[in-house]
Amino acid sequence: MNTDKIDNGKKNLDQIVKDRRSTRNFSKEIPNEEDLMNILKSCIYAPCGGAELSPEKRKIFVFKQGTENMTKAREIILSQVKKSAKMMNRMLIFLPFLRKKMGTFAKKLKMISENGIPALTDAGYFIVIAEKKGFPPVENQSIAHALENMWLTATDSDIAFQMLTVVGQMSKNDQFMNLLNLKKGDYTLGGCAIGYPQTSVNKPKDFEFEKFIVLMDEV
């Protein structure tokens, strides 16, 4: 008996969690609208910190590949990455003791600033989640839940997913916030790219999970 699927052909949750992988290479094919809407619905049902969830509290922006707004978003983000790379380079010049700790990240940032973010060029959709700030500040946790829901739902539909950490920086970017028609300072952002993988995703890794767990009643 195949325990990886349930009766309707969908994977069970255990298998979805194991199969979830970040994808770096997307094909140009755009996922169908039904799968896209299922992924977006899962974002809406993700836990929300603070006030009760509403369209004012959580906003979801969908950029489709090949559109004018997708091109604008990509250009604004790349411009921000280039600025960050220059600032990082200057900091490491004046504070050389940070090179050991931050050198690898600085090289990666420089590479991205020169070559762009492939997911924003290839993936079918770029999605931004905006969570309104409140007190206590739990917006990042709420966005993490929303992204996880979307990631698992995408995996269930054999759609590839890449979380884009650079989106978090864009909440301080005037151009990007204007593109979203949001007031800078009111929202925290998170984002991802979804589409079909260019190559097959690696099989899930087996972990000796007992080594990660500390049972406090046995300590």
Side-chain angles (χ1 to χ4, degrees), residues 53-94:
L53 185 63
S54 69
E56 179 65 20
K57 176 68 175 174
R58 177 176 297 160
K59 295 182 179 294
I60 306 168
F61 300 88
V62 182
F63 294 84
K64 187 176 182 179
Q65 200 61 253
T67 62
E68 182 180 350
N69 279 331
M70 180 70 232
T71 300
K72 288 180 181 179
R74 183 168 57 240
E75 291 175 348
I76 295 170
I77 291 172
L78 183 57
S79 176
Q80 179 65 50
V81 170
K82 288 180 178 179
K83 290 179 183 178
S84 297
K86 288 180 181 178
M87 289 177 60
M88 177 70 71
N89 184 56
R90 291 196 195 101
M91 184 170 65
L92 294 183
I93 290 174
F94 290 105

Side-chain angles (χ1 to χ4, degrees), residues 2-107:
N2 183 359
T3 58
D4 294 347
K5 301 277 186 176
I6 56 178
D7 291 341
N8 63 4
K10 290 289 188 177
K11 301 175 183 178
N12 64 34
L13 180 59
D14 183 62
Q15 191 61 35
I16 293 170
V17 170
K18 289 180 180 178
D19 285 349
R20 190 207 70 168
R21 288 289 179 277
S22 183
T23 302
R24 292 292 182 269
N25 299 307
F26 290 87
S27 75
K28 297 290 186 178
E29 184 180 0
I30 296 178
N32 64 62
E33 190 170 324
E34 181 181 358
D35 285 335
L36 171 66
M37 292 308 298
N38 285 336
I39 292 169
L40 298 179
K41 286 176 184 177
S42 72
C43 173
I44 296 169
Y45 282 108
C48 174
E52 184 177 349
L53 185 63
S54 69
E56 179 65 20
K57 176 68 175 174
R58 177 176 297 160
K59 295 182 179 294
I60 306 168
F61 300 88
V62 182
F63 294 84
K64 187 176 182 179
Q65 200 61 253
T67 62
E68 182 180 350
N69 279 331
M70 180 70 232
T71 300
K72 288 180 181 179
R74 183 168 57 240
E75 291 175 348
I76 295 170
I77 291 172
L78 183 57
S79 176
Q80 179 65 50
V81 170
K82 288 180 178 179
K83 290 179 183 178
S84 297
K86 288 180 181 178
M87 289 177 60
M88 177 70 71
N89 184 56
R90 291 196 195 101
M91 184 170 65
L92 294 183
I93 290 174
F94 290 105
L95 303 171
F97 62 89
L98 292 175
R99 289 176 187 169
K100 184 176 180 180
K101 181 178 181 180
M102 304 175 67
T104 300
F105 176 71
K107 289 179 181 178

Side-chain angles (χ1 to χ4, degrees), residues 117-189:
I117 302 173
L120 293 180
T121 302
D122 300 333
Y125 292 100
F126 167 47
I127 299 171
V128 176
I129 304 167
E131 196 85 5
K132 193 163 188 179
K133 294 181 179 180
F135 188 84
V138 291
E139 299 80 40
N140 285 319
Q141 292 91 325
S142 295
I143 289 174
H145 286 304
L147 288 169
E148 182 72 4
N149 269 21
M150 294 169 65
W151 203 341
L152 294 173
T153 306
T155 301
D156 191 31
S157 298
D158 295 321
I159 292 174
F161 183 105
Q162 183 181 348
M163 185 162 57
L164 299 173
T165 55
V166 66
V167 178
Q169 305 174 25
M170 304 309 296
S171 62
K172 298 179 181 179
N173 185 290
D174 290 311
Q175 283 184 289
F176 195 77
M177 295 304 285
N178 285 338
L179 181 62
L180 301 182
N181 197 28
L182 295 178
K183 183 180 177 182
K184 190 173 76 170
D186 282 0
Y187 287 86
T188 296
L189 304 182

